[in-house]
Amino acid sequence: NAGVTQTPKFRVLKTGQSMTLLCAQDMNHEYMYWYRQDPGMGLRLIHYSVGEGTTAKGEVPDGYNVSRLKKQNFLLGLESAAPSQTSVYFCASTDWGRMNTEAFFGQGTRLTVV
Amino acid sequence: AQTVTQSQPEMSVQEAETVTLSCTYDTSESDYYLFWYKQPPSRQMILVIRQEAYKQQNATENRFSVNFQKAAKSFSLKISDSQLGDAAMYFCAYNQGGKLIFGQGTELSVKP
């Protein structure tokens, strides 16, 4: 099983450029999440989705947009990248209706904005 | 808003000894779930243990156990007989209604 796959694994952007991070899961999970991880800050929730066609804001949504057009995919977009968005980004997914189910994570994307 | 706080950025333990990592959370909800995740240098996120808020009994998984104090909104992780492989970043997490929130993390080092 592939589980949760993030694309790309590494990326360097120039300030002002745009990009899309792709998260794909093959476990038929309803819930999907995007986090950013920075030293001393832990994992902070950017946006999440409770099902196909739905999205919701997390703790740090500014500067990011998301879409969940297909159940298995959750896209994170940066329209105009800023150095403050340099981070490691993680996608996760979990079952619907079973809140005690563990979340499965992708391997992370290291993004550097110069 | 729900928040999760881990007040210990770093902890250290001698191999074979016991260490406790602290976590507190803030919520007005009564039905929720709590987790501890481990993140080794590989960046992989690994579930260590989970606790349902409606269960009074503390969860245990081999050498890992929790002390869940619902009234105090406290959820600490105890690691017994610490091993070198336990060295990692540990995150406490809270899930209510599908919104999964993590704490800042505690970096655990294990001394041989």
Side-chain angles (χ1 to χ4, degrees):
Chain A
N1 282 344
V4 179
T5 303
Q6 291 181 230
T7 309
K9 292 182 175 56
F10 304 93
R11 185 73 185 267
V12 178
L13 283 181
K14 293 182 178 179
T15 298
Q17 285 185 321
S18 63
M19 78 164 294
T20 300
L21 281 68
L22 170 64
C23 178
Q25 53 97 1
D26 61 2
M27 296 171 282
N28 203 35
H29 286 167
E30 290 287 346
Y31 288 83
M32 296 188 74
Y33 308 86
W34 274 109
Y35 296 90
R36 59 176 292 172
Q37 182 176 14
D38 303 289
M41 306 292 286
L43 275 76
R44 292 182 291 170
L45 181 63
I46 304 171
H47 287 280
Y48 65 108
S49 169
V50 302
E52 182 178 318
T54 73
T55 63
K57 293 181 180 180
E59 303 167 283
V60 289
D62 294 342
Y64 304 95
N65 56 75
V66 288
S67 65
R68 183 98 181 268
L69 298 179
K70 292 183 179 181
K71 185 177 183 179
Q72 64 268 31
N73 296 336
F74 194 30
L75 279 63
L76 178 70
L78 287 73
E79 290 187 348
S80 180
S84 61
Q85 293 177 305
T86 293
S87 187
V88 178
Y89 291 85
F90 284 95
C91 175
S93 72
T94 190
D95 262 350
W96 177 84
R98 294 173 57 199
M99 300 303 168
N100 64 340
T101 301
E102 69 176 290
F104 291 84
F105 285 79
Q107 70 273 49
T109 297
R110 182 175 292 279
L111 174 65
T112 303
V113 183
V114 298
Chain B
Q2 299 94 346
T3 59
V4 179
T5 302
Q6 294 177 248
S7 59
Q8 306 154 315
E10 298 175 348
M11 291 284 285
S12 181
V13 63
Q14 204 72 34
E15 194 176 7
E17 301 209 334
T18 296
V19 64
T20 298
L21 308 184
S22 301
C23 174
T24 59
Y25 57 95
D26 185 22
T27 183
S28 58
E29 305 293 335
S30 60
D31 188 18
Y32 51 87
Y33 298 83
L34 298 164
F35 306 85
W36 278 97
Y37 279 85
K38 170 185 177 181
Q39 186 184 45
S42 66
R43 289 201 321 224
Q44 181 185 5
M45 294 288 286
I46 303 165
L47 178 68
V48 174
I49 199 165
R50 75 193 86 187
Q51 173 82 43
E52 290 91 340
Y54 64 86
K55 288 187 178 179
Q56 295 185 346
Q57 187 174 5
N58 289 326
T60 61
E61 287 286 344
N62 300 315
R63 297 183 294 108
F64 299 89
S65 61
V66 299
N67 183 4
F68 174 48
Q69 302 289 328
K70 190 172 184 178
K73 295 179 185 175
S74 171
F75 183 60
S76 60
L77 174 69
K78 185 170 83 170
I79 305 173
S80 304
D81 185 25
S82 296
Q83 301 175 0
L84 295 177
D86 294 335
M89 184 72 80
Y90 286 81
F91 292 101
C92 177
Y94 163 100
N95 188 344
Q96 197 284 323
K99 192 173 183 181
L100 184 60
I101 302 293
F102 286 81
Q104 303 92 325
T106 297
E107 185 165 10
L108 178 67
S109 60
V110 181
K111 298 179 181 178

